[in-house]
Amino acid sequence: MAQPLSISLRALPSKDSNTESISNLINRINEQRGSFRNFTEDTLEQEIQALEACEPESEAIEVEPDGGEHVKSRREEVVTAREEMMKQVALAQTESAYALDFVSLLLSKHSPAPADSTMSPYLKQNAPTGSLGAEVNGLPKVSDAQQADQEKVSIGWKMQSLNATADSLLKSATRLEEEVERETRYWEQVLAVKEQGWSLCRLPRERYTMGVRYGFAEGMLISFIALDLGLTALKAASEFRDRGLAALRRDEDGNIHFDRGVESINRTLRVRIQQHNKEIISRTQATSRIANEVPVETEILEARNSIFDEELHHELHREARTLASHGVRCIGDTIKIPYEADKQILIDLTSFDDDDLDMPQLDEVTQKLKPDQTPDWIVLCLRLLLTHTHRQTLRRRCQPPPPISEKPPVKPTYILLRPILAHIRHRDALQSTQEFLRKLSQPLSSASLQFTSSTSPTLLPTPPSTARRQPTKSTLTTAFTLPLTTTLTTTLPSKTATLSLEITTPLSTTYTATLTPVIPTTNTPEPISVTSFPSLKPHILHLLSSDLISLIISTPSPHPKIGSWKASDPYKGELTRRNGRTRQIDKLCVQVDETELVATWQGGAVGFDGLRTASWGLEGGQVERGLLEWLEDVGSDVMQ
């Protein structure tokens, strides 16, 4: 007998790349055996040896103890079960084929074409199409009561369906009406934002979401309401220009939700004045916080001001690193600028929610008597300068580009802190010079000598001719960045000479002292220029001493036998003259500083002690007479 052919009905398993991947194997090992720390190479070898030792026992054929008959092996049982299953499958296939032929022959009377496609070839050869039909022998009789009940049930179902449809339409109409109200409210607010001058557009990655540009970019019209400048078409830095776009989303009530993304904290630039590196004596006025429910235009405005101050703070840090030689320091996020003697200016970026605990609580009387608006003016100037820089950058980009070069273009550092630092230093230099001249005038006034000074008002420099064609606001800001010059004119005691002090501050202060007219008899030097006020003091004192020598020389002698004074050492303020009566040399030394004027006479005659000294200070003189009267009196005593 031929051995039956066994066919497996199970499909061959396909290899799944995911099940054989390293990550899947690691997960299976973790589920079956836990962490890799729980087993080692030795434990794996022991398990393999144990499995090899158990294989013969598992493959052994078990024999039942009773009957003495040989039990079929597992393989024979599987083969028998497969043959039985094949018989059942063949029988089911035959029965289903008979049922399909019967239905197809029955339908061929009414629909020949579809039924012909499903009939078997054997049926087509032995049975003509449409030879089998079916009829209904009799319908069940329905009473009038049952018919009425069925009609009522049908009407009830129809009414229920119509009511459900009507309710659904009413709900849809109500929902549509609410949706229309929300959409109307949303677009009214969007139109209000548009009317305020903000630029609206679609978001790049969300085509169906409306966005607003609140940053500074090219070709965008912005009304700078916070500073009331009316800026147009500004050009900001790329890293801040790309952040100036936010979504105008609609909430559940139809109101606009201003969505800025993750960075939604409003920040502002803060300027403080610190004294002795500890106490904060002044700062910018605190900005009012936005309430929870405010118009969206206010939120957009605050966001625009915030990103503007963030860019300003960033550019200030870039410039501060180049001003380390001028005493500017960057410590963390704070910029420190030297200010006056024991003070410094602190510039940082803070949020509206930060509480400034280092601000002292001043009483109302102190706040009224000593209002300090310096921090507010500094913030205003910094914002004006950054706006001017934006305008200059845009104007520069509108011009023809430079020739192409292999070197990448270098972003220039904005000029923001330099004008502020120059104005602070210029003011300090002017105040120091005025205070020195005021103290110097007191001992001279005590000595009955004229010494008056006047200060010309510090005017903004005239911008270059190319800047005059720009708008007025640009011209004024350009002039603000140019070096400052102030001239102090002082009338010296001789009344014929004038001392002119010119203070110029591009960034470092330059002092230029000029004596007009030049006094040749005292070897007065030509105009001098120094870069520090301590170096200027000796020159002013020397010029004043030279003028005093000139005044004494020009004063006629009261006695004909006494010669006139001559300058022997003008740098030390020494004069000499020959006394014709005593035939001796009289010496006079005049020394002056900011606190005292001292005159010393050395010489004499018979009965004269040979040394006389007089001084005039801040609170009066040692003698009640002036310098010239004292010299006349001493000369008279010598002649006696």
Side-chain angles (χ1 to χ4, degrees):
M1 181 178 180
Q3 188 176 359
L5 179 63
S6 60
I7 300 175
S8 177
L9 298 179
R10 181 179 300 175
L12 294 176
S14 60
K15 294 184 179 180
D16 190 0
S17 59
N18 295 329
T19 58
E20 296 181 358
S21 61
I22 298 298
S23 59
N24 191 13
L25 292 177
I26 292 175
N27 293 333
R28 289 170 59 187
I29 292 173
N30 290 331
E31 292 178 358
Q32 295 177 3
R33 298 181 177 272
S35 176
F36 283 91
R37 299 178 182 178
N38 299 333
F39 57 90
T40 60
E41 185 178 357
D42 297 335
T43 57
L44 293 177
E45 291 180 354
Q46 293 177 2
E47 291 183 4
I48 293 172
Q49 293 175 3
L51 291 175
E52 291 177 353
C54 295
E55 282 182 357
E57 297 179 0
S58 61
E59 293 179 357
I61 301 175
E62 297 181 359
V63 180
E64 294 182 359
D66 55 344
E69 294 182 358
H70 180 70
V71 182
K72 295 180 180 180
S73 64
R74 180 66 178 169
R75 183 178 180 84
E76 292 178 354
E77 292 179 357
V78 172
V79 172
T80 305
R82 183 179 296 174
E83 291 177 354
E84 183 67 24
M85 185 179 61
M86 293 296 294
K87 292 179 181 180
Q88 297 295 333
V89 171
L91 180 61
Q93 185 178 6
T94 304
E95 294 293 337
S96 60
Y98 289 160
L100 180 60
D101 286 343
F102 176 77
V103 175
S104 299
L105 184 59
L106 184 62
L107 294 176
S108 62
K109 183 177 181 180
H110 304 283
S111 301
D116 186 68
S117 62
T118 57
M119 287 192 299
S120 63
Y122 179 79
L123 182 60
K124 292 180 180 179
Q125 295 176 1
N126 296 282
T129 302
S131 59
L132 182 63
E135 294 180 358
V136 179
N137 294 329
L139 296 175
K141 294 182 179 181
V142 180
S143 62
D144 296 338
Q146 294 177 349
Q147 184 68 25
D149 293 338
Q150 291 179 1
E151 291 178 357
K152 292 180 181 180
V153 171
S154 177
I155 293 172
W157 278 109
K158 290 181 180 180
M159 293 182 63
Q160 185 176 359
S161 300
L162 292 175
N163 291 334
T165 303
D167 295 338
S168 177
L169 291 175
L170 290 176
K171 291 180 180 179
S172 300
T174 304
R175 184 174 64 254
L176 181 60
E177 184 179 0
E178 295 176 354
E179 184 69 18
V180 169
E181 292 178 357
R182 288 193 290 265
E183 283 291 328
T184 303
R185 188 180 303 112
Y186 171 76
W187 288 108
E188 286 178 353
Q189 296 180 8
V190 170
L191 183 59
V193 172
K194 180 67 176 178
E195 291 175 352
Q196 291 292 331
W198 301 103
S199 177
L200 302 180
C201 63
R202 291 182 179 180
L203 295 183
R205 298 183 180 179
E206 301 180 27
R207 295 184 57 189
Y208 300 101
T209 303
M210 186 67 67
V212 57
R213 287 191 177 276
Y214 61 90
F216 298 89
E218 297 181 21
M220 184 181 70
L221 178 62
I222 299 177
S223 175
F224 202 90
I225 303 176
L227 298 180
D228 195 19
L229 296 178
L231 305 181
T232 57
L234 298 182
K235 174 67 175 66
S238 59
E239 56 268 23
F240 293 93
R241 183 185 68 243
D242 298 337
R243 288 175 49 191
L245 179 63
L248 297 178
R249 305 188 187 276
R250 197 195 70 178
D251 58 8
E252 297 179 355
D253 298 332
N255 297 319
I256 287 182
H257 172 59
F258 184 62
D259 186 10
R260 296 169 54 189
V262 180
E263 295 292 336
S264 59
I265 301 176
N266 291 329
R267 295 180 174 87
T268 183
L269 194 69
R270 178 178 59 178
V271 176
R272 296 171 294 171
I273 298 179
Q274 188 181 38
Q275 189 175 19
H276 303 301
N277 292 328
K278 294 181 180 180
E279 182 182 2
I280 302 296
I281 60 175
S282 180
R283 68 164 186 178
T284 52
Q285 296 180 1
T287 307
S288 59
R289 302 178 183 177
I290 297 180
N292 294 329
E293 296 183 359
V294 294
V296 67
E297 297 87 350
T298 306
E299 295 184 15
I300 299 175
L301 181 61
E302 291 292 342
R304 196 278 315 280
N305 294 342
S306 175
I307 196 173
F308 183 83
D309 283 353
E310 289 179 21
E311 181 184 2
L312 176 58
H313 184 258
H314 172 73
E315 296 298 338
L316 289 176
H317 264 276
R318 292 184 63 241
E319 185 184 12
R321 298 188 189 100
T322 64
L323 299 177
S325 59
H326 297 277
V328 181
R329 297 290 181 267
C330 292
I331 301 177
D333 294 336
T334 304
I335 301 173
K336 295 186 177 182
I337 303 175
Y339 179 68
E340 295 183 354
D342 54 350
K343 301 177 184 178
Q344 58 182 352
I345 298 175
L346 308 180
I347 302 177
D348 60 352
L349 197 66
T350 181
S351 62
F352 294 156
D353 297 332
D354 292 342
D355 294 327
D356 196 357
L357 302 178
D358 55 356
M359 182 62 189
Q361 299 294 332
L362 302 178
D363 54 6
E364 296 182 358
V365 178
T366 306
Q367 291 180 358
K368 292 181 179 179
L369 293 178
K370 297 181 179 180
D372 190 2
Q373 297 181 350
T374 302
D376 295 326
W377 286 112
I378 292 176
V379 170
L380 179 60
C381 292
L382 290 175
R383 289 171 177 168
L384 285 171
L385 289 172
L386 180 59
T387 304
H388 176 69
T389 306
H390 285 173
R391 190 181 295 109
Q392 294 296 329
T393 303
L394 180 61
R395 186 176 292 109
R396 185 168 53 253
R397 289 174 62 90
C398 295
Q399 297 176 357
I404 300 176
S405 175
E406 296 180 355
K407 296 182 181 180
V410 180
K411 180 181 179 182
T413 303
Y414 292 168
I415 299 177
L416 303 173
L417 287 176
R418 287 178 175 85
I420 302 296
L421 190 60
H423 279 72
I424 291 176
R425 291 187 173 184
H426 188 82
R427 189 189 67 172
D428 293 343
L430 181 61
Q431 290 179 353
S432 301
T433 306
Q434 289 176 341
E435 181 65 19
F436 175 73
L437 295 178
R438 185 188 64 81
K439 291 182 179 180
L440 193 60
S441 64
Q442 294 181 4
L444 295 175
S445 299
S446 301
S448 300
L449 298 174
Q450 183 179 2
F451 186 82
T452 58
S453 61
S454 60
T455 303
S456 62
T458 303
L459 301 177
L460 292 178
T462 303
S465 58
T466 56
R468 297 178 185 176
R469 295 190 297 267
Q470 301 176 5
T472 305
K473 50 191 176 185
S474 299
T475 305
L476 292 176
T477 312
T478 303
F480 182 74
T481 59
L482 298 178
L484 294 175
T485 302
T486 303
T487 303
L488 288 84
T489 304
T490 304
T491 303
L492 299 181
S494 63
K495 300 181 182 179
T496 59
T498 302
L499 176 62
S500 177
L501 297 176
E502 186 177 281
I503 303 175
T504 306
T505 311
L507 189 56
S508 299
T509 306
T510 302
Y511 303 87
T512 302
T514 305
L515 185 62
T516 306
V518 178
I519 307 175
T521 57
T522 57
N523 297 326
T524 304
E526 296 295 328
I528 56 172
S529 296
V530 294
T531 57
S532 63
F533 184 70
S535 302
L536 178 66
K537 287 183 179 181
H539 294 286
I540 295 178
L541 295 177
H542 171 67
L543 295 177
L544 179 58
S545 178
S546 300
D547 184 76
L548 291 175
I549 292 175
S550 176
L551 176 63
I552 295 173
I553 292 175
S554 62
T555 302
S557 175
H559 302 280
K561 295 183 178 182
I562 300 178
S564 59
W565 292 100
K566 296 182 179 180
S568 59
D569 191 350
Y571 291 98
K572 294 182 180 180
E574 295 180 358
L575 299 91
T576 59
R577 72 178 181 181
R578 183 176 181 79
N579 193 331
R581 180 178 179 182
T582 61
R583 297 182 180 181
Q584 295 183 359
I585 301 300
D586 296 334
K587 295 182 179 180
L588 178 65
C589 180
V590 179
Q591 297 178 346
V592 61
D593 57 20
E594 57 183 317
T595 59
E596 190 178 23
L597 171 64
V598 180
T600 304
W601 180 301
Q602 185 177 3
V606 180
F608 188 69
D609 55 4
L611 182 66
R612 294 289 181 89
T613 302
S615 62
W616 295 268
L618 298 177
E619 297 180 356
Q622 183 181 2
V623 294
E624 296 181 355
R625 301 179 299 274
L627 174 62
L628 299 180
E629 290 80 1
W630 178 80
L631 290 176
E632 184 178 355
D633 293 344
V634 173
S636 300
D637 294 340
V638 171
M639 294 302 298
Q640 293 178 358

